[in-house]
Amino acid sequence: MRILHTADLHLGQVIYQNYERRDEHRHFFNQLAHWCRTYQPDALLVSGDVFDIQQPSATSKEAFANQFMELHRQCPSMAMVITAGNHDSASRLQTEREVWQLANTHIIGTGPSIVAQEGWEEKFIIRLKTGYVVALPHMIGARREQLQALLDKVAQENDEGKPVVMMGHTAVAGLDATGHDFEIGKLKTQALSEFGEGYDYLALGHIHKPQTIGHQEDCMKEEVSYPAPVVRYSGSALHVSCDEAYPHTVSLVDIDKHQGTVTVKQLWIDELRHFHVLPHEGAYQSAEEAIAGVAQFAKDHATGYFRLRVDYTVALPSNFNQMVYDELLAYGDEIRYNPKIIWEGQAEERTDAMGKPTFEVAELQEMQNPMDFIEKTKDQYEHLDLDMVRKAFEEVEAEIVRMNEEEQATKKTKAERKNKNTSIA
């Protein structure tokens, strides 16, 4: 069984609030199409984060449709399996599932229901001539029993010993999260045991650095072979920030048989615009030096992203970012600036961020009540009166209820008057 494994496309990303990346994604898909034609995989797997936001623009959805339909036209016998990530709207992807099946494409948006119904497994098992794909989207929490049930069902019918691939979009223990910025949320990992037993290759998304779990020393090797099972992050299609200072790849995976040998060949992605940190060594000691460095970088490269490293003792003028943008005007959008400066040589006493609690991003997204967050961070506020805050929120909620009731009563009165006038007429 041969697969191409990629993930974290982030279609529609607008980076640093200024720059859209459509041409970069087109450049990536051109390479992906070339690899599909060259290697003729049985399946192309996309392990989540197809889009960058849950409500992608019409332009982003059009790019998705055009690019994947072109892949199908060029390799019609190749199955495509696309799962939702935490950046995607699971339900929106799911609504297009039936249509895409006409193009030999399987879209899995929503995960298994907690209350399983008979035959639920069929939605998540894709049967190919050469093997099986158990396709799962991003899911919150451990689902070991469900995952094992899927693998058990495959095992029951896999009497020919075909390879078994499982897909997921999550963080697993033992990963290297280099390049991910967790200033707001922390990374919550799952033990590999939560995925059950019976797969030969676990095709993961969510982490942007290409790597095979348990074999970090091999992460940049072009081709390696391991006995099954193998757990791998293909990495993202594009560098998503300047912090991802490593090559990005697509994984070409060959599996000879169930419980056999897994061979991974990394296909290096040629980035249309590379990321840089200026200066390459040390830090700028003044605003003038930094602006001069920007000017020289733009002259030498003519395209790319950059971020500045400045000594923390430097007092930058309030219009510094505008000075940088002014320097780049002649290059259009080809030279792109990340305004989040890296402050070097920070004094030890500047530990204002130390000790602050962190949360898994998904936890923050699920906190519907502000009091949930306040209660989890109360130790940061020495004189905070929780009872007073709680009472204040209760008063606000009561006022909202009162206002809604008044609004409904007003609507009802207007409707009654309208009906009365209609009757009289």
Side-chain angles (χ1 to χ4, degrees):
M1 182 181 187
R2 168 172 285 186
I3 62 171
L4 273 175
H5 170 206
T6 188
D8 299 276
L9 306 181
H10 292 279
L11 294 175
Q13 183 190 25
V14 177
I15 195 167
Y16 308 140
Q17 301 180 4
N18 283 313
Y19 312 110
E20 60 87 23
R21 310 185 74 183
R22 285 199 296 270
D23 57 346
E24 295 177 73
H25 279 109
R26 281 196 299 270
H27 188 63
F28 164 75
F29 273 101
N30 288 339
Q31 296 171 77
L32 188 59
H34 168 72
W35 291 325
C36 289
R37 292 192 305 268
T38 301
Y39 296 105
Q40 293 293 308
D42 300 302
L44 168 67
L45 310 186
V46 183
S47 298
D49 282 357
V50 178
F51 295 104
D52 193 56
I53 58 175
Q54 294 191 351
Q55 295 184 354
S57 66
T59 302
S60 299
K61 294 185 70 175
E62 181 183 25
F64 166 77
N66 289 343
Q67 299 289 5
F68 280 98
M69 188 56 70
E70 181 60 26
L71 289 174
H72 171 64
R73 278 193 288 265
Q74 295 195 32
C75 300
S77 64
M78 176 186 73
M80 293 188 287
V81 186
I82 303 170
T83 60
N86 58 302
H87 278 247
D88 299 310
S89 168
S91 58
R92 286 173 186 268
L93 276 181
Q94 189 70 24
T95 58
E96 300 179 355
R97 173 183 172 88
E98 298 298 327
V99 173
W100 275 98
Q101 284 184 344
L102 299 175
N104 199 15
T105 300
H106 309 267
I107 295 181
I108 311 297
T110 56
S113 172
I114 298 298
V115 181
Q117 298 180 351
E118 186 176 353
W120 67 272
E121 301 96 338
E122 292 303 313
K123 172 182 169 183
F124 304 96
I125 299 174
I126 292 103
R127 296 168 178 85
L128 307 177
K129 290 182 180 179
T130 55
Y132 296 83
V133 178
V134 178
L136 293 161
H138 172 70
M139 299 182 293
I140 297 174
R143 303 281 192 95
R144 191 185 193 287
E145 289 186 6
Q146 287 184 321
L147 303 192
Q148 189 60 61
L150 287 165
L151 293 169
D152 288 345
K153 183 171 181 59
V154 170
Q156 288 173 6
E157 64 179 77
N158 188 19
D159 51 13
E160 296 181 31
K162 295 179 180 180
V164 180
V165 174
M166 178 179 275
M167 297 172 68
H169 188 91
T170 188
V172 300
L175 62 80
D176 179 356
T178 301
H180 289 262
D181 183 355
F182 298 111
E183 289 183 3
I184 297 177
K186 71 180 188 313
L187 191 65
K188 186 176 182 180
T189 61
Q190 285 185 285
L192 281 177
S193 59
E194 296 295 335
F195 288 86
E197 299 176 353
Y199 59 83
D200 298 300
Y201 182 82
L202 179 55
L204 293 176
H206 192 41
I207 300 303
H208 295 172
K209 182 179 180 179
Q211 58 190 284
T212 301
I213 301 302
H215 301 278
Q216 298 295 352
E217 70 282 359
D218 295 341
C219 69
M220 288 300 125
K221 288 185 178 179
E222 182 175 354
E223 186 170 326
V224 288
S225 294
Y226 310 105
V230 170
V231 179
R232 181 166 176 81
Y233 287 98
S234 66
S236 59
L238 304 180
H239 295 73
V240 178
S241 77
C242 288
D243 298 321
E244 298 181 15
Y246 38 75
H248 286 231
T249 68
V250 169
S251 299
L252 176 66
V253 182
D254 285 293
I255 311 170
D256 61 351
K257 62 181 179 180
H258 183 47
Q259 298 180 339
T261 300
V262 179
T263 300
V264 178
K265 179 181 176 66
Q266 296 199 76
L267 307 175
W268 262 252
I269 299 167
D270 172 41
E271 299 280 352
L272 188 63
R273 295 183 184 88
H274 293 276
F275 283 80
H276 305 266
V277 176
L278 307 178
H280 299 301
E281 295 181 2
Y284 291 121
Q285 301 298 313
S286 68
E288 294 74 18
E289 185 183 1
I291 295 297
V294 170
Q296 189 61 50
F297 170 80
K299 181 180 178 182
D300 292 342
H301 291 79
T303 187
Y305 294 90
F306 71 92
R307 186 178 180 186
L308 299 176
R309 190 160 38 212
V310 181
D311 189 277
Y312 85 96
T313 60
V314 174
L316 296 177
S318 59
N319 66 335
F320 176 76
N321 282 338
Q322 189 57 54
M323 293 168 64
V324 174
Y325 289 124
D326 290 344
E327 197 65 44
L328 303 177
L329 282 175
Y331 299 89
D333 277 349
E334 288 303 315
I335 301 290
R336 301 181 168 192
Y337 172 49
N338 174 2
K340 188 175 181 181
I341 291 171
I342 302 171
W343 295 100
E344 287 289 340
Q346 197 166 346
E348 291 183 4
E349 60 268 20
R350 291 181 58 168
T351 56
D352 50 307
M354 293 179 62
K356 289 185 178 179
T358 56
F359 301 93
E360 162 68 14
V361 174
E363 290 181 66
L364 294 173
Q365 293 172 335
E366 291 177 349
M367 289 183 188
Q368 302 295 323
N369 188 337
M371 280 304 302
D372 293 341
F373 180 81
I374 293 171
E375 288 175 355
K376 290 178 183 294
T377 58
K378 62 184 179 181
D379 293 341
Q380 298 295 305
Y381 310 100
E382 183 178 353
H383 302 294
L384 181 66
D385 187 335
L386 266 183
D387 290 334
M388 182 183 71
V389 175
R390 191 177 291 107
K391 184 178 179 181
F393 273 113
E394 289 173 354
E395 291 175 354
V396 170
E397 290 175 354
E399 181 64 15
I400 292 174
V401 170
R402 185 189 65 78
M403 292 173 65
N404 287 337
E405 290 175 347
E406 286 185 354
E407 182 180 358
Q408 293 301 319
T410 301
K411 288 181 178 179
K412 182 178 180 181
T413 301
K414 288 182 178 179
E416 289 174 348
R417 288 175 180 173
K418 184 177 179 180
N419 292 335
K420 183 178 181 181
N421 291 336
T422 302
S423 303
I424 294 174

